[in-house]
Amino acid sequence: MTVNTADVGMVGLAVMGSNLARNLARNGYTVALYNRTYARTEAMMEAHGDEGAFVPSEKLEDFVASLKRPRCALIMVQAGPGTDAVIDQLAELMEEGDIIVDAGNANFHDTIRREEAIRARGLHFVGTGVSGGEEGALLGPSIMPGGTVESYDRLGPMLEAISAKVDGVDCCAHIGPDGAGHYVKMVHNGIEYADMQLIAEAYDLLRRGLGATPAELADIFAEWNTGELNSYLIEITAEVLRQVDAETGKPLVDLIVDQAGQKGTGRWTVQNALDLGVPLTGIAEATFARALSSSLPQRAASGALGAHAEPLEVADREAFIEDVRRALYASKVVAYSQGFDQIAAASEEHGWDIDRGMLARIWRGGCIIRAGFLNDITAAYDANPAAPLLLAEDAFAGTVNAAVPSWRRVVASGALAGIPLPAFSSSLAYYDGVRAERLPAALIQGQRDFFGAHTYKRVDKDGVFHTLWSGDRSEETWS
């Protein structure tokens, strides 16, 4: 057994855990390794043991003993009870001041609970969001650690070293206390859901409207990736559309079953938005669209439903492509704007003091939603940290305003042609709702007062009022 030699440890050596461990070792850190099944540890050492300094252990006790004090152990195991079990086992073996890091996709409520329990034992618990997938974990992800400032003093330099770099800036920063790190990763994933759904809707419109092949559409997305839509998701869309199945010679996208999976972070994001009262329409519709795609009994029963649709006829190919591009850009900005609004609301609710400009900065590289316009988001929040509406900031207002005619044409064309555009449509509806001088909510408030005496306010005088709807219809002033 090697004692007190490893800078950091990794528990859980599936692909993400092993790639993070390799990333740390490649950056000069000695990494302790532990997996419940030792054969996986042996397999990693055989395949990658020459990439850096590793200290493998068959027993968890030896793993903990191999770590330098204050000990720092990262966990990358399946979320849920398995994570709790590993945390408890580590906590039993660790000493005051040691650090346990959960780098998986945990629910932030669980992180808050775990942090409180571990803090009571004199240890630090750090819920850390990691985005970038398998490749990012190895080559440089975006990393979002929560926890205490003291824990970041020990942990931060290592995480910064292995993170992605953009313009010489680390895509890693301390987000805030307890659940803040896992929270922003959750919202990141919610934005990712919206972004992917919007791209899929754009693909559907272009394919139906142009009658183009997937390979031809790949060229369109590749071209878009050279402009203001530049992003990782647009880039890989072109790659997916170009892929040809080796066995059949057909486009792979035509052979993939049209049922989108999800692991829960999108649902968590929408559920929390409801708790906070934040209108997260684009992300919500994207999440529901995935659920609908997998609602097989309902889809199977839909044969009796007529389309009553008009053919999607494109008179000007280039103009149509540009309309879809502009609608996609505007809708993507809505998704990011709503996501950052949700983060601001949660930060206030939990006292996290999250810097949205800093967050946009560390999302510019490594993560799945990395995009060129995150530079503009960073600049917008740096200039106005308390910006109430990202859409209305100078960096976006002009471009989004210019896109509105295209946006309307795209949504209208989709509706007339019977093409489902839930994310495009809800994003435009949000834009129109947030810019409206007066909304029909006045009628809703009157209805609420009618059946439940919920009261209302007036535009012409101060106070809270109730109408005696079941009486003489006179108005009372309520305190």
Side-chain angles (χ1 to χ4, degrees):
M1 182 179 68
T2 306
V3 179
N4 303 141
T5 58
D7 300 299
V8 62
M10 178 63 68
V11 178
L13 298 176
V15 176
M16 284 293 292
S18 63
N19 280 4
L20 282 174
R22 292 167 60 195
N23 192 346
L24 285 159
R26 289 175 172 188
N27 278 276
Y29 296 102
T30 299
V31 185
L33 303 176
Y34 174 80
N35 195 80
R36 184 171 57 87
T37 305
Y38 189 59
R40 177 164 276 174
T41 307
E42 292 178 310
M44 178 183 161
M45 288 300 297
E46 182 177 352
H48 306 292
D50 60 350
E51 294 182 6
F54 296 105
V55 183
S57 295
E58 188 168 1
K59 296 180 179 178
L60 192 62
E61 292 84 354
D62 295 342
F63 168 82
V64 172
S66 71
L67 297 171
K68 294 177 182 177
R69 292 186 175 89
R71 303 178 180 93
C72 182
L74 278 70
I75 301 171
M76 186 62 84
V77 299
Q78 187 172 6
T83 300
D84 280 316
V86 172
I87 291 169
D88 288 341
Q89 292 165 11
L90 282 172
E92 287 293 329
L93 298 169
M94 285 183 156
E95 299 174 348
E96 185 173 350
D98 289 348
I99 304 167
I100 299 174
V101 183
D102 178 8
N105 270 339
N107 188 303
F108 80 97
H109 292 295
D110 289 337
T111 303
I112 292 173
R113 168 181 58 81
R114 290 163 178 159
E115 194 277 336
E116 183 178 7
I118 292 299
R119 178 165 27 94
R121 302 172 72 160
L123 305 173
H124 296 281
F125 184 78
V126 179
T128 298
V130 179
S131 179
E134 298 173 6
E135 182 177 309
L138 180 63
L139 303 179
S142 176
I143 309 178
M144 299 149 260
T148 62
V149 173
E150 292 80 7
S151 63
Y152 193 77
D153 288 342
R154 165 81 168 89
L155 179 67
M158 292 187 288
L159 296 184
E160 290 170 5
I162 69 170
S163 70
K165 309 289 185 287
V166 176
D167 299 330
V169 177
D170 299 319
C171 292
C172 172
H174 182 233
I175 304 299
D178 55 67
H182 274 147
Y183 186 88
V184 299
K185 175 55 165 56
M186 176 191 77
V187 177
H188 164 286
N189 285 19
I191 295 171
E192 178 185 309
Y193 274 48
D195 209 340
M196 294 173 73
Q197 176 65 27
L198 288 165
I199 292 170
E201 291 177 15
Y203 153 77
D204 199 18
L205 277 165
L206 292 172
R207 189 160 193 189
R208 297 201 203 192
L210 302 176
T213 66
E216 291 169 336
L217 296 177
D219 291 339
I220 293 173
F221 279 97
E223 175 63 27
W224 284 357
N225 197 47
T226 64
E228 62 189 0
L229 283 177
N230 171 255
S231 68
Y232 172 71
L233 286 171
I234 293 288
E235 175 188 343
I236 68 169
T237 297
E239 295 298 318
V240 171
L241 291 174
R242 282 202 180 96
Q243 186 68 20
V244 174
D245 177 58
E247 182 178 347
T248 65
K250 296 179 179 179
L252 179 62
V253 70
D254 290 342
L255 300 176
I256 297 174
V257 175
D258 60 337
Q259 297 168 29
Q262 52 183 306
K263 292 187 175 180
T265 47
R267 291 196 303 272
W268 296 345
T269 306
V270 176
Q271 288 163 354
N272 178 252
L274 292 171
D275 292 338
L276 294 171
V278 175
L280 206 69
T281 55
I283 294 172
E285 288 296 342
T287 305
F288 293 141
R290 291 196 186 191
L292 187 148
S293 75
S294 298
S295 298
L296 301 188
Q298 289 76 21
R299 294 182 68 183
S302 67
L305 306 178
H308 303 287
E310 301 176 0
L312 180 56
E313 297 180 351
V314 174
D316 186 330
R317 184 179 188 276
E318 295 307 315
F320 180 69
I321 293 172
E322 179 62 8
D323 274 352
V324 176
R325 187 196 69 81
R326 288 187 168 196
L328 178 57
Y329 175 84
S331 298
K332 282 162 68 81
V333 174
V334 167
Y336 283 75
S337 182
Q338 291 179 345
F340 277 100
D341 284 350
Q342 182 176 2
I343 289 168
S347 180
E348 183 175 356
E349 175 86 4
H350 295 282
W352 288 333
D353 194 27
I354 295 174
D355 182 340
R356 290 180 292 177
M358 172 271 292
L359 189 57
R361 187 174 293 108
I362 69 170
W363 282 353
R364 294 181 304 160
C367 71
I368 302 301
I369 65 170
R370 59 186 184 266
F373 69 26
L374 277 162
N375 286 309
D376 297 326
I377 296 176
T378 301
Y381 283 126
D382 284 349
N384 185 7
L389 181 65
L390 183 63
L391 274 172
E393 292 300 297
D394 290 343
F396 297 103
T399 308
V400 172
N401 285 341
V404 170
S406 294
W407 207 356
R408 296 197 190 285
R409 284 192 293 269
V410 163
V411 171
S413 296
L416 290 170
I419 301 172
L421 302 176
F424 272 134
S425 302
S426 63
S427 299
L428 178 58
Y430 172 83
Y431 174 86
D432 283 332
V434 79
R435 68 168 188 82
E437 292 185 10
R438 186 164 173 82
L439 293 166
L443 175 59
I444 295 171
Q445 199 61 15
Q447 294 168 332
R448 295 180 73 243
D449 188 59
F450 190 106
F451 65 69
H454 292 294
T455 72
Y456 53 86
K457 295 180 180 180
R458 295 175 58 116
V459 299
D460 56 348
K461 54 186 174 182
D462 295 333
V464 177
F465 303 92
H466 167 63
T467 291
L468 300 174
W469 298 103
S470 299
D472 61 4
R473 301 292 177 97
S474 62
E475 186 177 70
E476 295 180 338
T477 302
W478 286 27
S479 59

